[in-house]
Amino acid sequence: MQPNFLAELRAKAGGDKAGTGGFRNAGSAAAASNTSRVVSARMAAPPVSPGGGNFSDVDFYYMNVHDEQIGPAPMKELRTKFKQGEITADCYYWCDGMGGWEALDSNAALLKQINPPPPPRKKSAGGPPSLPPPPVSSVPPPPSSGPVAPPKPNFGEYAQQSFERPSSHVFSPQAEPEPVKPRRKVLEKGWMEKLTADLVPYYYNTATGALQWEMPEELRQKRGGVVGNSGWFWVPDPTDGYVAARSLGGKSYQTKDGKQVSYSTPRGKTLDPLNPASLSMLHDDLVLLDDLCEGMVMHNLRERYMKDQIYCGVGSILIAINPFKRLPLYTPDIIEKYNKRGNKVLPPHPFMIADNAYKTLLEGEVNQSILVSGESGAGKTETTKQCLMFLADVAGSKANIEQRVLSVNPILEAFGNAKTLRNDNSSRFGRFSEIILDNEKRIAGAQIQSYLLEKSRVGYQQQGERNYHIFYQLCKSDWAEHYNLGGPEYYGYLANSGCTEVSGIDDYREFQDVVSSMDSLGFTPDEKHSIFSIISGIIQLGNVTFTEASVRGADGSTIDDINTSYAVASQFGVDANMLAEALTHRTLEIIGQEPVRVPLRVDQAIENRDALAKYVYEKLFNWLVGRINKSLVPEGSKGSFIGILDIFGFEIFQQNSFEQLCINFCNEKLQQLFNQDTFKNEEEVYRSEGVDFPPIQFIDNQPVVDLIEMRGGIFTILDDVVKGPGKPEQKDQKFGTLLDSKFSSNPCFVPSNKHRGISYQAFSINHYAGSVCYDIDHFVDKNKDSLFKDLYDMMAMSSDAFIKGQFAGEQGGRRTLAGDFKKQLNSLMTELKSTESHYIRCIKANSLKKPRVFEGSSCLEQLQCAGVFEAVTIRKNGYPFRYTFGRFVERYKCILATEEGWQPLQSSDLREQCYEILSSSKQPFSNMQWGQTMLLFRADEYRVLELCRALATDRVSSKIQAKARGRLTRRYLGLVQAARPRLQQAEQSRDLATLESALQYVNEVLGQFAVFSISAPIAEWARCKELVVVIREAARLEPELECWVYSDLADDNNFEMLFKTVKSAREIAGKHPTPKFDELYAMAIEQFEGWREFRLSSKLEEVMKTLERDEMSEIYAECKRLEYVSSSLDEIERLMGVSEQELLKMQYKKANENGMAQRAVEKEIELKELVLDQFAANFTFEKCGMLRDPIDYANAKTFSLHRDEHAAGMLVWSKNPLLTSLTRIDDPACVKEATNAFKCIQGYCGDIRANYPETFGVKVIETGLDGDDWIRAEIYAGLMKQLSENPNGYSRNKAWELMMLCLMHFSPGDGIENFLQIFIRENGESRFKDVMVRQCHVIAYEVSAAAAPQAHMLPSMLRKSGF
């Protein structure tokens, strides 16, 4: 019989006879057989060569490349399998006469018969055999270049792979190898399906050498009509942006998940085609995508985002998608990784952008800038902080200046950030931070420029938003009391939006951070006091309200509560009366006339108040920026810098105003710079590489920029209207009219008369990101950057020197916000153009602010607004794929591993090496562009290159892994053999020190194979390891056993500790670690079992007498916990499964057997209650068998016209006397007694007139005590009758009282008892129902009372009964 290959491997590895050693836990059977294929041939007997080397009649057993043991098989089958690639030279075989398994390449004669060499070619005249001509390649020869040293090959990553195979099985000597599915399958017509390292399928034709990502048509048909690659498109979708769908004809499409969608393609446009195979190929650089259409870009971003890969690149441009959760991407280790990356290719990251900027500055002395943009909530602030953090860590400084630079963030975020509907920490201003470096390129200081602070937020916020953080922080701080502030909910400017708290924001702690940052930047106590006085004054200014008043015959206003104006005045250091006057009046100055004081209406006074708050806050914010700059100004002259621009992204809201126009104008300018930089960078690449510059086209937004900022443009007209004559309420309309008249023919402008469906005057601008409609209302007012002279002069007279300094000098009356912003922006653009720019585009993944939610349509709009697709278009029109020669050789050198074997590079020149690699692929690459230092190509060439690389990697990796595993295995087995004797001696000694020494010796001997030995331990090593643990555990347990064995085990705690110790000791008792342990363990078992019997047997006996379910459950659990065995436990198990009724019957029986009379009664009552619960419907009052038939009852009155009524009312409350008894009493005397008893019931209940109703109750009780069961049943029936449908609450209550009194004196009798109980349950009030039911049971088992009570005793009896 042939030997088992795996069994032989285990024998060679030194497994013990019991099967506990060898390669236990070494992985799956397939993994072991893979390892076995590289065991040295010298470990087996010499190969057998039957019949003088003729193997044609021999049957063989062999291991194929799929690690499957096959046989017997003749030589013909081996030859066929070898040609098919199912057997290779390093596979193992066995036949009769061999001592063990051998590799084919160890038997040259056999291998020659399996794979005979080709016949020799004819020799040419006078020379060696001629070689076949080299394959004709379509690769153009590279331009000549100087020699470049070839890169060193690196096989480290392949060698490492051998340790990464998952382990899911335990090796045992008896286990046969599990069948392993082949990783590849040769298909019809030579097609073979393969997988890349990323598990992406591709297809290789072994006959023609063709490679493709798409599934071949033949294979598709073979697999039963799998949907083909043709007819797939990117279909626009209102939710996901784009979906991949197959055309069904007309407007119908079907997505990959089978959902049908409908889409009508606009005239003149077509859908982008899609290759479904490309969906599985994700890239961290969008330029590497097969197709750079919007749909493919969105798919790539979405799939990466769902894997927490939030960063992606477009060449050098970074796209950052807000994950809305913390990711471990910003640790010091990550900073060091990007700072010291060298030539390594790392994933996109803000650290890479910051590192590129810093290193470019080191190399070229050109100032750098990083432009971070995106909509609110996209993560601009966090990304900016990450860049600052990286630069601070990498550049450092002499005097810890970088920490002062970082301490700016808490201040600017507190005063410039707020909660919006889109973002809980939204920057409401633009910011350009210059990180200034000294000559040694360390941080020397910083300067900050702010842009377009959102002043309007101070006076108004939308519902669900907040004012600036600092207002809430001060209200919740320890400083609030000093400024007479309460909670933010008490102030109009803070609470009118309905939001004062933000989840995840601790205002108290963040205020402490603000104060700490101010201290680190050198703010004086007086400065901090003045800052917070202004903040406090603004907070309280929002509580100043106004009432209509007549002032000198004109409509005016007055302040409602003068105390609020006093509070504001004290914080601003101004006179309260002057403040009240300035808020409700303004001074008109007309040339040639005296100034006139004009009262303000309520609405005008409110606008005046808000204008003061906004103006003062803007002044404070600008001063803060200046003060921070003063703290961070570098010593000496300004050196080189890295600027970081954190600025608002393009905004398109439902209703847009002046702020959106400024923001979008800023983004137009930045997009213009972005396009120019991208175009310039592309142009520079082609020019430096000497490659023909392909025509690149992109949208030029200069016409839109001119429309807004040129002389006579929108901003100019707006400024002219602000400064020109006219009533304020009419200026907005005038502004709109001027725009329509001047720009109606401008293609970038849409006049107001072309807007439909809106109720306000508006104009639209066709921005690069889309058309935006602007509401003209308040445009002119928002552009004014001034305050009424009365308020300005008042603030200039403040007693606070800080505030007075803010209002020093005359107010610039000709300034406008648009003019100032345009100047600031032009200055910024000039500075940015002097730098080398780097771009980060931040994207908000969803409006819910939740992780792992990707709203495709919103993200698509943001990408369009960010100009990402413009950059993609610029790259797409050229050669988007570009590799330096060295990088190309490093990535694609593996292509040299062909079917014929490895083709070594012949040249040392990198350019020539690239040519050799391309030539060896036998693929067409005629469209590649050869530059001076790099290769440039498009998507078609890139796809083919990646296919070639995937195929070559598949060929090489398996061989490298096999060789590595073989070498490691042989080395490991040798070390195992050397260590085994020492372990055997230690195991026999059973001495702890000797065992530990032996294990330490093994670890030292195995060295780097120690980890390998854990996954495949030798038997002696495992036993010694286990013995060490056992002896240590015995040493720990011996004192505990000794302690608790001799303790007072009557104590519950001592007994429990003994039980716990015995359980722990039991786990190692079978190993017999020491004689002392064995002795103590035996004593402990004896003591424990004796005390357990003593404790549980009596309890168990008592429980079996009562059979209470809870007690049985408790004692059963206790017995199981203490591992106590008793026949009673089986009985308890059976009883726990019976029904409640059956258990009650058994409990009743047990109580009688044990002479427990009271308990028997209780159980009988419970059983009766249970039966009544089950059959309540059978015991309703009208079904009682003791009652008369209603017709008989009605016939008792001989002459009556209302017999039907009497019959129907027999059991219903009535004030009339009974016609006869309710029960079937025949004796006339008894009937008379029954009707009299009913009259007494009516008298007690108040249904008939009675002077002393208590005496009637006593009479009823006396009648019941003296009567038989029929009279008693009659009384209870009469009471139930008077309780049925009784509309009188007093009567009902008295009837229940009398029923209770009756139950306290005599039983209802068996005939009516059950009916009475059901009646009480269904009709009684909750306050007395349970008491009456209980009394009903009790009286049934007690003797009736001897006599009726006296009338005055009835109330006290009811109280005592709990009624």
Side-chain angles (χ1 to χ4, degrees):
M1 182 177 181
Q2 81 277 9
N4 182 275
F5 182 72
L6 294 177
E8 180 177 332
L9 172 65
R10 285 191 292 272
K12 293 177 180 179
D16 62 351
K17 295 180 180 179
T20 59
F23 281 79
R24 180 174 296 179
N25 297 326
S28 67
S33 55
N34 272 338
T35 306
S36 68
R37 288 167 55 195
V38 292
V39 175
S40 174
R42 288 172 293 179
M43 298 177 65
V48 176
S49 178
N54 183 10
F55 296 90
S56 57
D57 298 327
V58 178
D59 286 334
F60 294 91
Y61 293 85
Y62 64 90
M63 300 292 294
N64 64 9
V65 295
H66 308 305
D67 304 320
E68 298 169 333
Q69 182 173 319
I70 300 173
M75 174 60 66
K76 183 179 180 181
E77 180 177 331
L78 264 63
R79 290 171 181 162
T80 303
K81 295 297 183 182
F82 197 94
K83 291 179 180 179
Q84 293 176 349
E86 292 290 306
I87 304 175
T88 60
D90 60 348
C91 286
Y92 279 75
Y93 78 99
W94 179 89
C95 65
D96 288 334
M98 292 179 57
W101 290 78
E102 288 298 327
L104 286 173
D105 55 9
S106 65
N107 191 334
L110 175 61
L111 185 59
K112 186 175 182 180
Q113 290 194 29
I114 294 175
N115 185 32
R121 293 189 179 92
K122 294 182 180 180
K123 295 184 179 181
S124 59
S130 60
L131 297 174
V136 178
S137 173
S138 59
V139 181
S144 60
S145 176
V148 181
K152 295 180 179 180
N154 180 8
F155 297 104
E157 60 176 323
Y158 300 112
Q160 190 177 4
Q161 291 177 7
S162 60
F163 291 98
E164 297 176 353
R165 298 187 62 175
S167 177
S168 59
H169 292 73
V170 176
F171 253 77
S172 62
Q174 293 77 20
E176 290 296 326
E178 296 182 6
V180 180
K181 294 183 179 180
R183 288 169 290 182
R184 60 180 73 86
K185 185 176 181 180
V186 178
L187 306 173
E188 291 183 4
K189 297 192 178 181
W191 282 110
M192 177 183 289
E193 184 183 70
K194 291 177 171 289
L195 296 176
T196 66
D198 299 327
L199 302 181
V200 177
Y202 66 99
Y203 303 92
Y204 170 60
N205 193 308
T206 56
T208 64
L211 284 165
Q212 63 185 60
W213 292 107
E214 301 82 5
M215 184 184 294
E217 188 65 29
E218 297 86 347
L219 177 57
R220 189 179 304 113
Q221 293 175 358
K222 181 180 178 65
R223 294 189 176 181
V226 177
V227 176
N229 296 323
S230 61
W232 285 86
F233 299 93
W234 287 112
V235 179
D237 182 79
T239 302
D240 295 329
Y242 284 93
V243 293
R246 182 171 59 92
S247 176
L248 300 178
K251 300 179 182 179
S252 298
Y253 297 86
Q254 185 180 44
T255 62
K256 291 181 73 68
D257 57 5
K259 179 182 176 182
Q260 289 198 10
V261 296
S262 179
Y263 179 75
S264 179
T265 307
R267 182 174 298 176
K269 293 189 177 181
T270 58
L271 296 179
D272 292 317
L274 163 68
N275 177 7
S278 63
L279 294 177
S280 57
M281 293 180 282
L282 305 179
H283 296 280
D284 56 17
D285 190 344
L286 298 180
V287 173
L288 301 180
L289 293 174
D290 283 359
D291 187 4
L292 295 180
C293 64
E294 291 185 356
M296 183 59 76
V297 169
M298 291 299 300
H299 169 76
N300 192 78
L301 293 177
R302 179 190 296 107
E303 294 302 313
R304 287 175 55 81
Y305 178 78
M306 300 309 289
K307 298 177 181 179
D308 289 336
Q309 298 171 358
I310 61 173
Y311 296 119
C312 197
V314 183
S316 60
I317 303 161
L318 178 68
I319 299 175
I321 307 179
N322 191 343
F324 292 107
K325 65 178 179 180
R326 295 291 179 186
L327 295 175
L329 301 178
Y330 316 105
T331 62
D333 292 341
I334 302 294
I335 292 178
E336 183 178 8
K337 178 180 177 181
Y338 278 87
N339 181 37
K340 298 181 178 180
R341 73 182 192 274
N343 293 324
K344 293 179 183 177
V345 178
L346 297 180
H349 198 287
F351 292 167
M352 180 177 289
I353 299 294
D355 187 60
N356 288 339
Y358 181 65
K359 288 179 178 173
T360 304
L361 182 64
L362 294 180
E363 296 169 358
E365 296 291 337
V366 178
N367 291 333
Q368 304 291 305
S369 60
I370 301 174
L371 281 65
V372 184
S373 65
E375 74 166 46
S376 178
K380 300 187 300 295
T381 301
E382 287 299 315
T383 302
T384 300
K385 288 194 288 188
Q386 290 156 13
C387 292
L388 285 172
M389 179 176 66
F390 181 88
L391 293 173
D393 189 274
V394 171
S397 68
K398 289 183 179 179
N400 208 28
I401 295 174
E402 78 278 3
Q403 295 304 317
R404 290 166 59 193
V405 172
L406 293 176
S407 66
V408 170
N409 287 323
I411 300 175
L412 291 183
E413 286 189 21
F415 287 85
N417 289 26
K419 180 196 181 302
T420 66
L421 296 178
R422 298 188 174 193
N423 184 9
D424 291 344
N425 187 34
S426 174
S427 297
R428 308 314 299 162
F429 70 104
R431 167 184 172 187
F432 185 61
S433 304
E434 293 183 358
I435 310 301
I436 302 171
L437 307 178
D438 58 21
N439 293 332
E440 298 178 5
K441 295 302 179 283
R442 290 187 290 187
I443 296 177
Q447 291 293 283
I448 297 170
Q449 179 67 50
S450 64
Y451 301 92
L452 200 65
L453 176 72
E454 187 186 20
K455 296 189 298 182
S456 60
R457 179 167 295 273
V458 176
Y460 171 78
Q461 312 93 42
Q462 294 186 55
Q463 285 296 307
E465 297 192 345
R466 288 208 317 179
N467 213 321
Y468 290 102
H469 294 324
I470 188 61
F471 294 114
Y472 305 89
Q473 293 172 2
L474 181 59
C475 287
K476 296 180 182 179
S477 71
D478 296 332
W479 297 43
E481 185 177 355
H482 178 76
Y483 296 102
N484 298 318
L485 292 176
E489 63 272 12
Y490 297 112
Y491 302 101
Y493 280 165
L494 309 187
N496 285 344
S497 65
C499 179
T500 58
E501 300 278 348
V502 181
S503 175
I505 293 181
D506 186 344
D507 293 313
Y508 179 86
R509 182 187 60 78
E510 293 191 1
F511 182 80
Q512 293 177 324
D513 294 341
V514 171
V515 175
S516 176
S517 296
M518 288 180 171
D519 292 338
S520 67
L521 291 172
F523 281 59
T524 65
D526 289 343
E527 287 175 333
K528 288 186 288 185
H529 171 70
S530 297
I531 291 168
F532 297 130
S533 291
I534 292 175
I535 296 299
S536 174
I538 294 174
I539 291 173
Q540 298 181 71
L541 181 60
N543 281 8
V544 176
T545 56
F546 306 93
T547 302
E548 293 180 357
S550 179
V551 182
R552 295 184 296 278
D555 291 340
S557 59
T558 60
I559 294 177
D560 288 333
D561 185 1
I562 196 65
N563 291 327
T564 57
S565 63
Y566 275 107
V568 176
S570 66
Q571 300 297 341
F572 285 165
V574 299
D575 181 75
N577 294 326
M578 185 180 294
L579 174 63
E581 182 72 12
L583 288 174
T584 57
H585 294 76
R586 64 169 296 193
T587 300
L588 285 179
E589 295 182 352
I590 304 174
I591 299 175
Q593 298 182 20
E594 290 292 327
V596 179
R597 298 284 292 168
V598 178
L600 301 176
R601 299 188 306 272
V602 171
D603 59 328
Q604 293 173 327
I606 292 174
E607 290 181 2
N608 202 25
R609 176 200 67 188
D610 294 344
L612 175 62
K614 292 184 285 187
Y615 197 89
V616 170
Y617 191 79
E618 183 188 35
K619 282 279 188 181
L620 174 62
F621 185 82
N622 291 337
W623 179 88
L624 273 171
V625 174
R627 179 64 179 81
I628 290 170
N629 288 338
K630 182 180 177 181
S631 300
L632 298 178
V633 66
E635 298 179 1
S637 60
K638 178 179 177 180
S640 54
F641 69 86
I642 299 175
I644 303 178
L645 179 65
D646 173 6
I647 203 160
F648 16 69
F650 199 92
E651 292 186 349
I652 306 178
F653 298 140
Q654 198 73 23
Q655 203 161 345
N656 305 280
S657 189
F658 174 73
E659 295 88 354
Q660 279 69 51
L661 178 61
C662 293
I663 289 172
N664 293 342
F665 169 62
C666 173
N667 278 272
E668 289 283 359
K669 299 279 282 186
L670 292 173
Q671 181 63 25
Q672 193 175 48
L673 176 67
F674 176 74
N675 287 346
Q676 291 171 356
D677 279 351
T678 306
F679 180 84
K680 181 175 65 177
N681 291 339
E682 287 292 291
E683 186 179 37
E684 179 60 29
V685 168
Y686 296 125
R687 182 179 293 109
S688 63
E689 291 298 319
V691 174
D692 292 339
F693 192 66
I696 297 178
Q697 297 178 354
F698 60 92
I699 299 174
D700 186 3
N701 61 341
Q702 186 61 46
V704 179
V705 173
D706 291 341
L707 171 66
I708 299 173
E709 74 165 349
M710 71 178 180
R711 186 179 297 275
I714 293 176
F715 277 169
T716 303
I717 294 175
L718 182 59
D719 288 350
D720 291 344
V721 173
V722 169
K723 300 171 185 177
K727 295 182 179 181
E729 56 269 21
Q730 298 175 349
K731 287 190 173 184
D732 286 330
Q733 186 175 1
K734 180 181 178 181
F735 170 62
T737 303
L738 290 173
L739 291 182
D740 288 350
S741 63
K742 183 165 184 178
F743 301 118
S744 59
S745 61
N746 191 314
C748 300
F749 183 86
V750 181
S752 58
N753 60 3
K754 292 187 178 181
H755 290 80
R756 300 288 184 270
I758 59 175
S759 59
Y760 50 85
Q761 188 178 4
F763 67 92
S764 294
I765 297 178
N766 295 323
H767 292 281
Y768 75 91
S771 181
V772 182
C773 179
Y774 296 97
D775 182 1
I776 289 178
D777 289 346
H778 302 296
F779 242 77
V780 176
D781 183 59
K782 290 179 178 179
N783 190 38
K784 289 190 300 184
D785 192 22
S786 60
L787 195 66
F788 284 154
K789 189 174 185 303
D790 307 79
L791 289 173
Y792 190 91
D793 292 344
M794 177 199 69
M795 296 298 291
M797 297 169 60
S798 172
S799 60
D800 188 307
F802 178 85
I803 298 176
K804 185 175 183 179
Q806 299 299 308
F807 291 84
E810 292 293 327
Q811 183 180 195
R814 306 292 292 177
R815 289 178 56 204
T816 63
L817 196 58
D820 287 349
F821 182 64
K822 187 166 67 171
K823 290 177 183 177
Q824 280 187 322
L825 191 56
N826 288 334
S827 174
L828 172 65
M829 298 306 297
T830 301
E831 188 151 28
L832 289 177
K833 288 178 181 178
S834 68
T835 67
E836 183 174 331
S837 300
H838 308 263
Y839 295 91
I840 301 178
R841 296 305 197 223
C842 297
I843 304 297
K844 183 177 180 180
N846 62 81
S847 57
L848 304 175
K849 295 182 274 192
K850 292 183 177 180
R852 300 186 70 78
V853 177
F854 190 89
E855 295 177 351
S857 58
S858 172
C859 293
L860 176 62
E861 180 181 317
Q862 294 175 66
L863 291 168
Q864 291 168 341
C865 293
V868 169
F869 293 117
E870 292 295 317
V872 169
T873 300
I874 291 174
R875 289 292 294 266
K876 181 179 178 180
N877 289 341
Y879 296 98
F881 300 90
R882 52 196 69 165
Y883 286 101
T884 62
F885 295 140
R887 176 80 179 107
F888 186 90
V889 170
E890 180 182 349
R891 180 167 182 80
Y892 296 114
K893 184 180 179 180
C894 58
I895 294 177
L896 295 170
T898 64
E899 289 287 355
E900 293 78 17
W902 178 259
Q903 297 182 8
L905 291 168
Q906 302 299 318
S907 174
S908 61
D909 179 69
L910 289 174
R911 184 189 303 266
E912 294 293 335
Q913 289 178 355
C914 293
Y915 180 74
E916 291 182 45
I917 292 170
L918 293 174
S919 299
S920 68
S921 69
K922 301 179 182 178
Q923 302 293 333
F925 292 112
S926 58
N927 292 327
M928 278 198 165
Q929 297 295 315
W930 294 79
Q932 298 296 325
T933 62
M934 64 174 63
L935 277 169
L936 299 90
F937 45 95
R938 292 192 170 98
D940 290 341
E941 289 79 17
Y942 175 74
R943 280 195 291 267
V944 175
L945 278 171
E946 287 299 304
L947 285 169
C948 293
R949 183 175 183 270
L951 180 63
T953 303
D954 183 70
R955 292 170 181 157
V956 172
S957 59
S958 60
K959 295 181 179 180
I960 293 177
Q961 290 180 16
K963 295 297 183 184
R965 283 195 297 268
R967 187 164 182 266
L968 290 172
T969 302
R970 289 190 294 273
R971 174 64 176 153
Y972 172 69
L973 290 176
L975 295 174
V976 166
Q977 294 297 338
R980 179 169 279 123
R982 181 75 175 268
L983 289 172
Q984 292 171 346
Q985 294 174 5
E987 183 182 2
Q988 294 173 359
S989 71
R990 303 182 71 82
D991 178 68
L992 182 61
T994 305
L995 287 164
E996 290 177 341
S997 175
L999 290 173
Q1000 179 65 28
Y1001 168 76
V1002 170
N1003 288 335
E1004 293 174 357
V1005 169
L1006 293 180
Q1008 62 180 339
F1009 291 92
V1011 176
F1012 186 64
S1013 68
I1014 292 174
S1015 63
I1018 32 182
E1020 293 85 354
W1021 181 88
R1023 290 198 297 271
C1024 288
K1025 187 87 172 176
E1026 182 184 19
L1027 197 53
V1028 166
V1029 173
V1030 168
I1031 293 175
R1032 286 176 177 171
E1033 182 67 5
R1036 182 185 71 82
L1037 289 173
E1038 283 174 2
E1040 294 184 18
L1041 286 170
E1042 190 169 8
C1043 170
W1044 302 119
V1045 161
Y1046 293 105
S1047 65
D1048 180 12
L1049 295 179
D1051 182 85
D1052 290 344
N1053 182 61
N1054 293 346
F1055 179 77
E1056 288 297 328
M1057 292 306 298
L1058 175 63
F1059 174 54
K1060 180 180 178 181
T1061 308
V1062 166
K1063 283 185 68 175
S1064 299
R1066 184 187 302 154
E1067 297 177 2
I1068 64 171
K1071 303 293 182 182
H1072 303 288
T1074 64
K1076 182 179 179 181
F1077 175 87
D1078 292 346
E1079 180 183 357
L1080 288 172
Y1081 180 70
M1083 293 174 61
I1085 289 293
E1086 182 181 358
Q1087 288 279 35
F1088 168 70
E1089 290 178 350
W1091 278 94
R1092 181 181 62 184
E1093 178 70 24
F1094 173 76
R1095 285 169 167 268
L1096 295 181
S1097 59
S1098 58
K1099 289 182 181 180
L1100 197 57
E1101 184 178 351
E1102 290 298 320
V1103 168
M1104 295 306 294
K1105 288 181 180 180
T1106 61
L1107 300 183
E1108 288 293 336
R1109 193 180 295 274
D1110 291 342
E1111 293 178 0
M1112 288 193 297
S1113 177
E1114 182 180 345
I1115 191 63
Y1116 182 84
E1118 181 72 2
C1119 290
K1120 288 297 182 182
R1121 185 181 70 85
L1122 295 178
E1123 302 169 355
Y1124 182 69
V1125 179
S1126 171
S1127 59
S1128 298
L1129 296 179
D1130 297 333
E1131 179 65 13
I1132 289 176
E1133 280 188 18
R1134 187 186 68 80
L1135 292 174
M1136 292 295 288
V1138 302
S1139 66
E1140 193 66 27
Q1141 185 173 350
E1142 290 298 320
L1143 185 61
L1144 281 172
K1145 290 179 180 179
M1146 295 178 185
Q1147 291 171 349
Y1148 173 73
K1149 181 179 179 182
K1150 281 284 186 181
N1152 284 325
E1153 290 175 355
N1154 293 303
M1156 304 164 69
Q1158 182 61 33
R1159 177 174 172 79
V1161 170
E1162 292 176 356
K1163 291 303 169 183
E1164 187 176 3
I1165 291 174
E1166 289 181 26
L1167 190 58
K1168 186 185 296 184
E1169 289 276 351
L1170 188 63
V1171 172
L1172 288 177
D1173 286 341
Q1174 294 176 353
F1175 304 103
N1178 297 332
F1179 294 103
T1180 55
F1181 179 34
E1182 60 273 12
K1183 293 181 180 179
C1184 180
M1186 298 183 73
L1187 296 176
R1188 286 184 184 275
D1189 184 270
I1191 301 300
D1192 294 341
Y1193 174 81
N1195 290 334
K1197 191 170 184 179
T1198 307
F1199 302 103
S1200 177
L1201 300 177
H1202 306 285
R1203 292 184 178 178
D1204 291 341
E1205 294 180 11
H1206 292 319
M1210 171 183 166
L1211 300 180
V1212 177
W1213 171 84
S1214 175
K1215 287 187 176 184
N1216 300 320
L1218 293 178
L1219 302 180
T1220 182
S1221 64
L1222 297 174
T1223 58
R1224 292 183 288 103
I1225 300 176
D1226 296 328
D1227 185 2
C1230 292
V1231 170
K1232 181 65 174 178
E1233 190 175 358
T1235 55
N1236 289 337
F1238 184 76
K1239 289 180 182 178
C1240 292
I1241 291 173
Q1242 289 178 313
Y1244 183 82
C1245 296
D1247 296 326
I1248 60 176
R1249 179 180 291 276
N1251 292 331
Y1252 302 101
E1254 286 79 5
T1255 60
F1256 284 86
V1258 172
K1259 182 61 177 176
V1260 171
I1261 297 173
E1262 288 178 347
T1263 303
L1265 289 173
D1266 295 339
D1268 58 10
D1269 287 348
W1270 284 95
I1271 292 295
R1272 293 177 178 179
E1274 180 70 27
I1275 292 172
Y1276 285 109
L1279 287 170
M1280 287 189 281
K1281 169 183 169 66
Q1282 291 303 94
L1283 285 168
S1284 299
E1285 301 182 20
N1286 190 341
N1288 190 324
Y1290 174 82
S1291 174
R1292 289 197 308 274
N1293 190 54
K1294 298 298 287 184
W1296 285 117
E1297 287 182 0
L1298 184 56
M1299 183 179 288
M1300 184 63 185
L1301 289 169
C1302 292
L1303 287 173
M1304 294 170 65
H1305 289 83
F1306 57 85
S1307 169
D1310 295 339
I1312 203 171
E1313 178 187 355
N1314 292 341
F1315 299 92
L1316 178 63
Q1317 282 205 37
I1318 294 301
F1319 184 87
I1320 295 172
R1321 289 186 184 186
E1322 294 180 351
N1323 299 283
E1325 297 181 19
S1326 57
R1327 60 187 177 89
F1328 57 73
K1329 182 192 302 184
D1330 293 340
V1331 175
M1332 292 187 70
V1333 170
R1334 180 67 182 171
Q1335 184 60 32
C1336 196
H1337 287 302
V1338 170
I1339 196 66
Y1341 293 95
E1342 292 183 353
V1343 179
S1344 298
Q1350 297 180 12
H1352 70 276
M1353 298 172 61
L1354 298 183
S1356 61
M1357 293 180 69
L1358 288 170
R1359 284 195 301 272
K1360 289 180 180 179
S1361 69
F1363 187 83

